[in-house]
Amino acid sequence: MSYINFPSKLLEHAVAEFAKLPGIGRKTALRLVLHLLNQPKEDVHLFGSSIIQLRDEIKHCSSCYNISDTEICDICANPKRDHKTICVVESIRDVMSIERTQQYHGIYHVLGGIISPMDGIGPSDLQIEPLIKKVQESSIDEVILALSTTMEGDTTNFYLYKKLQTFEAKITTIARGVSIGDELEYTDEITLGRSITHRTLFDQNLQA
Amino acid sequence: MSYINFPSKLLEHAVAEFAKLPGIGRKTALRLVLHLLNQPKEDVHLFGSSIIQLRDEIKHCSSCYNISDTEICDICANPKRDHKTICVVESIRDVMSIERTQQYHGIYHVLGGIISPMDGIGPSDLQIEPLIKKVQESSIDEVILALSTTMEGDTTNFYLYKKLQTFEAKITTIARGVSIGDELEYTDEITLGRSITHRTLFDQNLQA
């Protein structure tokens, strides 16, 4: 975008900070900052301090590495959840997405990323060791790999599979296939191919 | 959007603060907050404090009410600008837009909004009195009304015209017409109609 001549250094600085956020350009950043300028001082203090406080005080569950206000997160601390089934995800956003489906009642393990040599992220940068230790020590029945279907996701899946296959636990991945509501015509061929290869019994769908 | 079950009150609070911003929904707010969580602490402190500092320390130019770090803004303090021509705008964003064109060399007057009875904004909520006082006392040659072409903008234009017509200053409004690069076919009829009524001499365009 064209050069903006700021009437104030403070304004320019605040806009530059907002423009660092993903998906926020300089024009949007300016609009957001000017909006905040029109808000009462207390509201702006609340806004700024809420994010600083979050960053300073956030804890990760010492068992599953999900974000938590307590040492052990609500999911891991819930005795009604199935502690023999672990769903391995990339980030806490995925935990929230799966929780919203209300279809999963086991516990999670948040890797904090996926193996991505291009970005310099190797297995040691992720919470893989604690996962292996947990599977080894807690007689886990099933590990569900729920990572993205990207090259990095597949690499990580394979790495985890190699590390975990020596244990008792069954290793599964979430089903890939045509989205509900999607027309076959518009589904990409890899997804469609997989959905045919991994077809399920019709009466299995009726139960769901 | 569907209900999000937050694993942390701090996270929920920060997301709620972001979601108050215009055009930012809860999903985008969550994405932005999780992005900030992955940044170094110092960066997040810089982000939060930049906006708090802006809100606390921002000044408005005592002459034109533009945002400024100093008592008198750079534009009003510039002796090379034409101090006999005042361009009346709604907000500082409009000042920045007009400055970017590099076509205007007068000074500004920022109203801080437009008259909008529906939102409870009357003339006394805007910087109209200082404008009238300035026109009256400083022997201004021209007042350019550069407000939005909305009903509220037109109302404000008319109100200002009524208040200012008793003085010497010429009162003008910015030209309305077909945007440069636009095809006539896709221009709305009101704009097209105005652009015909207010047609200009062809050689006048050649000079520009």
Side-chain angles (χ1 to χ4, degrees):
Chain A
M1 76 155 292
S2 56
Y3 169 68
I4 299 181
N5 202 355
F6 284 95
S8 147
K9 285 278 164 219
L10 286 171
L11 180 67
E12 186 171 3
H13 185 54
V15 170
E17 284 295 327
F18 264 84
K20 283 182 193 166
L21 295 174
I24 306 280
R26 298 250 292 174
K27 272 202 171 169
T28 307
L30 177 63
R31 191 164 54 85
L32 297 179
V33 170
L34 291 180
H35 168 84
L36 283 169
L37 260 186
N38 282 331
Q39 303 307 307
K41 271 192 189 183
E42 313 83 69
D43 289 9
V44 176
H45 276 259
L46 217 60
F47 173 86
S49 59
S50 75
I51 185 73
I52 291 176
Q53 199 194 357
L54 173 69
R55 183 64 188 82
D56 286 354
E57 297 177 16
I58 199 74
K59 286 196 214 50
H60 289 86
C61 170
S62 62
S63 175
C64 74
Y65 299 92
N66 189 7
I67 284 177
S68 173
D69 292 338
T70 46
E71 175 71 14
I72 298 288
C73 77
D74 288 351
I75 296 173
C76 287
N78 187 346
K80 287 185 185 160
R81 310 274 311 203
D82 170 10
H83 286 253
K84 297 277 184 195
T85 306
I86 299 178
C87 181
V88 179
V89 293
E90 190 182 326
S91 78
I92 85 126
R93 249 193 296 176
D94 301 328
V95 173
M96 289 166 76
S97 297
I98 296 174
E99 281 299 286
R100 266 205 304 279
T101 70
Q102 302 192 317
Q103 297 294 317
Y104 181 66
H105 307 291
I107 56 172
Y108 294 91
H109 188 88
V110 181
L111 292 180
I114 40 179
I115 297 171
S116 174
M118 295 286 281
D119 302 318
I121 301 170
S124 58
D125 300 313
L126 307 174
Q127 304 295 354
I128 290 180
E129 278 309 316
L131 171 66
I132 292 166
K133 210 171 148 212
K134 195 158 45 171
V135 175
Q136 192 170 20
E137 291 172 1
S138 321
S139 64
I140 299 296
D141 289 337
E142 183 175 357
V143 177
I144 305 172
L145 303 177
L147 304 178
S148 316
T149 22
T150 56
M151 207 174 66
E152 289 82 7
D154 287 343
T155 307
T156 313
N157 273 337
F158 192 69
Y159 183 88
L160 292 174
Y161 175 73
K162 281 280 170 202
K163 286 278 183 186
L164 294 171
Q165 64 176 349
T166 52
F167 307 120
E168 291 280 299
K170 185 165 70 175
I171 299 167
T172 58
T173 67
I174 53 169
R176 310 293 182 179
V178 182
S179 291
I180 289 163
D182 262 17
E183 295 180 49
L184 292 200
E185 197 182 342
Y186 302 118
T187 306
D188 69 283
E189 41 202 274
I190 298 175
T191 304
L192 193 55
R194 270 213 214 187
S195 77
I196 291 172
T197 320
H198 300 280
R199 61 194 176 277
T200 55
L201 284 171
F202 190 71
D203 55 6
Q204 205 173 321
N205 291 314
L206 290 181
Q207 287 158 21
Chain B
M1 77 153 290
S2 55
Y3 169 68
I4 299 180
N5 202 355
F6 284 96
S8 147
K9 285 278 162 217
L10 286 170
L11 180 68
E12 186 170 4
H13 184 55
V15 170
E17 284 296 326
F18 263 84
K20 284 181 193 165
L21 295 174
I24 306 280
R26 300 250 291 175
K27 272 202 170 170
T28 307
L30 177 62
R31 191 164 52 86
L32 297 178
V33 169
L34 291 179
H35 168 83
L36 284 169
L37 259 186
N38 282 330
Q39 303 306 308
K41 272 192 190 185
E42 314 82 71
D43 289 9
V44 176
H45 277 259
L46 217 61
F47 173 86
S49 59
S50 75
I51 184 73
I52 291 175
Q53 199 194 358
L54 173 68
R55 183 64 188 82
D56 286 353
E57 296 176 19
I58 199 74
K59 285 195 215 46
H60 288 87
C61 169
S62 62
S63 176
C64 75
Y65 298 94
N66 190 6
I67 284 177
S68 172
D69 291 339
T70 46
E71 174 71 13
I72 297 287
C73 77
D74 289 351
I75 296 173
C76 287
N78 187 344
K80 288 185 183 158
R81 310 272 313 201
D82 170 10
H83 287 253
K84 298 275 186 199
T85 305
I86 300 178
C87 181
V88 179
V89 293
E90 190 182 325
S91 79
I92 84 125
R93 248 194 297 177
D94 300 328
V95 173
M96 289 166 76
S97 298
I98 295 174
E99 280 300 286
R100 265 205 305 278
T101 70
Q102 301 191 320
Q103 298 293 317
Y104 180 66
H105 308 290
I107 56 173
Y108 293 91
H109 188 87
V110 181
L111 292 180
I114 40 177
I115 298 171
S116 173
M118 294 287 281
D119 302 318
I121 302 171
S124 58
D125 300 312
L126 307 174
Q127 304 295 355
I128 291 180
E129 278 308 315
L131 172 66
I132 292 167
K133 210 171 148 209
K134 194 157 49 173
V135 174
Q136 192 171 18
E137 289 172 2
S138 322
S139 64
I140 299 298
D141 290 338
E142 183 176 356
V143 178
I144 305 171
L145 303 176
L147 304 179
S148 315
T149 22
T150 55
M151 206 174 68
E152 289 81 9
D154 287 344
T155 306
T156 314
N157 273 337
F158 191 69
Y159 183 89
L160 292 174
Y161 176 73
K162 281 279 168 202
K163 286 279 183 185
L164 295 170
Q165 64 175 349
T166 52
F167 307 119
E168 291 280 299
K170 186 165 68 172
I171 299 167
T172 58
T173 66
I174 53 169
R176 310 294 183 178
V178 181
S179 292
I180 290 164
D182 263 16
E183 295 180 49
L184 292 200
E185 197 181 340
Y186 302 117
T187 306
D188 70 282
E189 40 202 275
I190 298 175
T191 304
L192 193 55
R194 271 215 213 185
S195 77
I196 291 171
T197 319
H198 299 280
R199 62 194 176 276
T200 55
L201 284 171
F202 190 71
D203 55 5
Q204 204 171 320
N205 291 314
L206 290 181
Q207 288 159 21

